Amino acid sequence: TVAGALSPAAAQPAGDDPLAPFLPMADPPVVRAIEIEGLSRIDRAGVRAKIYTQIGRPLDQARLSEDIKRVYGMNFFDDIQVAQRPHADDGVVLVFRVVERPTIVGIDLDVDGDAVDKDEVRQVVDLKRFEILDEARIRFNLSKIEELYVEEGHFLVDTSYQLVPQDNNGVLVRLVVREGRKVEVRSVEIVGNDNIPSDEVEAILATRTGGYFSFLTQSGQFKRELFEQDIQRIQYYYLTKGYVQVRVDEPVVTLSPDKRSMAITIKVTEGPRYKAGALDIEMGDGEWIVDKDRLLRRLSMEPGEWFDYALMQQDVQALSAAYKDRGYANATVSTD
């Protein structure tokens, strides 16, 4: 909480305490001194630099209110109270009473499940020992942990944290992770494939739609690494069909309301289809070791046929093998 000149109800009570609450004044008193109480670890000069109220000038309650906001904005304090006491030279002493936030003395991971390696979870956590507790940063770290689990298909992961008090205003931060069950793939839809049927594309995917007993057999469960391989499979398949400019966009994943199943939509931009043109072989540095016509006869790709990336790779390997068979182990073949 923050209390100050504009909030009399939150100011320090009178009585035996010589500090008195602020009340509206027709003639504001002159500030003769400024004191800060409650500091143990936070640098006093750093806090004082946030207080713009001037000694020797009449108290400006609007400026004091801004001072309180600046000190609180340092994120080092749980509570700030400001009060006054009389000064011997016919003025007042402003007293800032602060309650420091605890210091993190340890970070503990309480992870239930083994879907993500605990070391991977630690790598996304950037909380440090001996830094001032900031619960907003803790929540941010939990969101990063959740993103890590979502990448592995665990959309039902639940995260929370516990603050365990320690000696000397220290605190142990315990991050709690409950991974939940994996999400089942209910449907995979291919869009934008104007020339290759969806069932033909889906046949090459490792990501399958799950059956009734998928939660027992683990079939049909979303796995990020397999899905990324599926994207590469689609691209490669199109390359073997002559679509050398094919593009596969990042998939769109739609969760069911209960987050137990998902629908995946994959957008394909096929681009134009190309045929193989004239085929030729050029020698780089050195001399022809194998007759050029003999090398051309080794090629599987035919001019005028639809370009096939797999055949091109096969031809590259065949040309490379022709030279390696003759002892040229470092011969390289490139395409253009």
Side-chain angles (χ1 to χ4, degrees):
T1 59
V2 181
L6 302 183
S7 181
Q12 296 291 336
D16 295 335
D17 193 332
L19 296 177
F22 286 105
L23 296 173
M25 301 178 185
D27 297 318
V30 175
V31 178
R32 298 298 182 184
I34 297 175
E35 297 179 358
I36 305 172
E37 297 180 353
L39 295 178
S40 61
R41 302 181 311 277
I42 307 303
D43 178 60
R44 185 176 301 274
V47 178
R48 184 65 181 85
K50 299 294 183 181
I51 301 173
Y52 293 178
T53 294
Q54 298 180 4
I55 295 175
R57 301 292 298 273
L59 176 63
D60 184 333
Q61 294 196 18
R63 173 172 287 187
L64 179 60
S65 179
E66 293 300 317
D67 288 344
I68 295 171
K69 292 178 182 178
R70 278 190 293 271
V71 174
Y72 195 75
M74 298 175 73
N75 291 324
F76 292 157
F77 307 108
D78 278 333
D79 186 63
I80 302 173
Q81 300 280 338
V82 182
Q84 65 183 11
R85 70 166 180 262
H87 191 274
D89 293 336
D90 192 24
V92 296
V93 177
L94 290 184
V95 180
F96 286 74
R97 283 181 167 177
V98 299
V99 177
E100 293 182 344
R101 289 182 176 177
T103 300
I104 297 176
V105 297
I107 300 101
D108 181 36
L109 282 179
D110 180 3
V111 179
D112 177 28
D114 57 2
V116 178
D117 188 82
K118 201 170 183 178
D119 288 337
E120 291 185 55
V121 179
R122 290 187 187 278
Q123 289 177 5
V124 303
V125 175
D126 61 5
L127 300 174
K128 306 296 183 184
R129 293 182 63 198
F130 307 120
E131 68 181 12
I132 302 300
L133 177 67
D134 184 343
E135 294 191 55
R137 286 198 62 231
I138 295 177
R139 291 190 290 271
F140 175 69
N141 274 265
L142 291 179
S143 69
K144 292 196 296 182
I145 293 175
E146 291 174 3
E147 290 175 2
L148 177 64
Y149 273 81
V150 167
E151 289 178 357
E152 297 296 329
H154 286 269
F155 291 84
L156 300 180
V157 63
D158 180 62
T159 61
S160 60
Y161 67 94
Q162 301 167 355
L163 302 178
V164 183
Q166 306 291 305
D167 294 337
N168 300 318
N169 199 28
V171 65
L172 172 69
V173 178
R174 177 172 293 127
L175 304 178
V176 182
V177 181
R178 299 292 178 261
E179 66 183 36
R181 65 185 296 277
K182 275 205 167 186
V183 178
E184 186 180 28
V185 180
R186 283 298 183 187
S187 65
V188 178
E189 181 182 10
I190 312 295
V191 298
N193 52 317
D194 299 327
N195 298 295
I196 297 182
S198 294
D199 56 356
E200 188 174 333
V201 178
E202 291 174 9
I204 66 173
L205 302 182
T207 304
R208 308 285 185 178
T209 55
Y212 182 76
F213 295 103
S214 62
F215 66 96
L216 295 177
T217 64
Q218 294 189 347
S219 65
Q221 292 183 342
F222 180 77
K223 293 184 178 180
R224 169 65 62 176
E225 65 275 13
L226 291 181
F227 194 62
E228 290 175 349
Q229 293 173 17
D230 281 344
I231 299 301
Q232 296 175 6
R233 286 189 180 95
I234 294 174
Q235 291 174 325
Y236 186 82
Y237 187 73
Y238 267 89
L239 287 173
T240 65
K241 301 298 181 180
Y243 296 92
V244 297
Q245 295 179 346
V246 64
R247 186 180 76 249
V248 182
D249 292 346
E250 184 72 16
V252 177
V253 177
T254 304
L255 287 175
S256 62
D258 61 2
K259 295 185 178 181
R260 292 182 175 273
S261 63
M262 67 167 66
I264 300 175
T265 303
I266 305 172
K267 181 181 178 181
V268 176
T269 303
E270 294 178 331
R273 193 179 188 189
Y274 291 88
K275 291 185 177 182
L279 302 178
D280 194 15
I281 302 174
E282 295 182 356
M283 175 61 65
D285 296 335
E287 301 178 354
W288 288 94
I289 305 301
V290 182
D291 181 71
K292 181 177 179 179
D293 290 337
R294 181 179 297 179
L295 292 176
L296 285 171
R297 288 195 295 271
R298 283 176 171 257
L299 302 182
S300 301
M301 193 179 301
E302 296 287 344
E305 298 293 330
W306 293 115
F307 175 81
D308 187 332
Y309 184 75
L311 286 181
M312 185 188 72
Q313 288 183 312
Q314 179 179 318
D315 288 344
V316 168
Q317 293 174 0
L319 295 177
S320 178
Y323 273 79
K324 289 180 179 178
D325 289 345
R326 287 163 174 76
Y328 292 87
N330 295 323
T332 59
V333 180
S334 59
T335 59
D336 187 2

